Amino acid sequence: YFEGFESISLAFPKWIQKKATGKWTNSVVYKEIVKLIQTSLNKHNNTNAKADGVFKVDIESGLRNFQKKNNIPVTGIPDQMTLQLLLR
């Protein structure tokens, strides 16, 4: 993890829901968070998707699968509860 991750993870779903563009999605921090999510989803879901830092439909479906397996609300969004389980 890196410093400030928890506060970023709280805002992250709002940006995804709004299909954010511009400075935020092009930032290094955003791309690194998405890479962490992609890498962790590959590990937990036994997949081999490219960890390129771009939030795509396959990430949303991977998050839904992960959430369902872990009995947490299935949203397809990397909310705080999902990130805590996914990135530990």
Side-chain angles (χ1 to χ4, degrees), residues 3-87:
E3 192 171 322
F5 183 78
E6 287 180 15
S7 61
I8 292 168
S9 70
L10 293 174
F12 198 62
K14 292 176 188 171
W15 288 102
I16 298 301
Q17 290 172 345
K18 292 180 182 178
K19 298 184 189 283
T21 59
K23 288 182 181 179
W24 173 249
T25 56
N26 291 325
S27 74
V28 172
V29 173
Y30 174 89
K31 289 182 180 184
E32 289 304 311
I33 292 170
V34 175
K35 283 181 187 178
L36 281 171
I37 292 168
Q38 289 169 317
T39 302
S40 295
L41 283 173
N42 282 339
K43 181 177 106 180
H44 288 285
N45 292 342
N46 199 26
T47 57
N48 196 22
K50 182 179 178 183
D52 58 5
V54 179
F55 195 95
K56 296 176 254 177
V57 174
D58 63 331
I59 297 173
E60 184 178 347
S61 64
L63 286 167
R64 286 180 184 280
N65 290 337
F66 177 80
Q67 291 164 332
K68 187 175 181 179
K69 280 193 232 178
N70 287 278
N71 297 313
I72 57 177
V74 179
T75 62
I77 295 172
D79 55 36
Q80 186 175 12
M81 186 184 310
T82 302
L83 291 176
Q84 286 177 345
L85 290 172
L86 185 64
L87 301 176

